[in-house]
Amino acid sequence: KDCKELLEDDGLLFIGCPSFNEKDARDKWHRWQTMGKGEHVVIFTEKSFICLMDRCGFDFEFLQPKEKGIFVKAWKTKEKDND
């Protein structure tokens, strides 16, 4: 929510984080050096990341194969006219 308020209407937000959809992630997550140390306190699945982005009001596109982790370009969801 804070990011959305700070982002210009035509601004972009780039997000990169590990994902449980990465190849062999469930076997190697305990070796991720940034896990649980403040940088990555949550590890998303593709589905949980999509739900978070929707809830926060962002549209996005994946910039790399999801098997390599989550890396997206995001922007504010455009308000729909109900006319």
Side-chain angles (χ1 to χ4, degrees), residues 2-21:
D2 292 336
C3 290
K4 188 173 180 184
E5 291 173 1
L6 294 171
L7 191 65
E8 296 288 333
D9 287 342
D10 60 349
L12 295 173
L13 177 65
F14 290 86
I15 301 169
C17 61
S19 165
F20 272 127
N21 293 104

Side-chain angles (χ1 to χ4, degrees), residues 1-2 9 18 30-31 34 37 40 43 46 51 53 59 61 65 77:
K1 185 175 174 183
D2 292 336
D9 287 342
H30 64 281
R31 291 182 281 178
T34 58
K37 295 187 169 113
H40 299 294
I43 302 296
E46 179 183 349
C51 289
M53 296 300 283
D59 288 326
E61 71 176 274
T77 300

Side-chain angles (χ1 to χ4, degrees), residues 9-10 14 34 38 41 44 54 59-60 62 64 73 77 80:
D9 287 342
D10 60 349
F14 290 86
T34 58
V41 294
F44 294 98
D54 184 55
D59 288 326
F60 64 93
F62 286 98
Q64 70 179 16
K73 175 175 65 174
T77 300
K80 296 179 182 175

Side-chain angles (χ1 to χ4, degrees), residues 6 14 26 28-29 54 57-59 61 67 69 76 82:
L6 294 171
F14 290 86
R26 296 189 192 275
K28 66 180 182 181
W29 71 269
D54 184 55
F58 283 101
D59 288 326
E61 71 176 274
E67 298 80 26
K76 291 180 182 181
N82 292 329

Side-chain angles (χ1 to χ4, degrees), residues 42-54:
V42 174
I43 302 296
F44 294 98
T45 63
E46 179 183 349
K47 183 178 178 179
S48 64
F49 182 79
I50 290 169
C51 289
L52 175 71
M53 296 300 283
D54 184 55

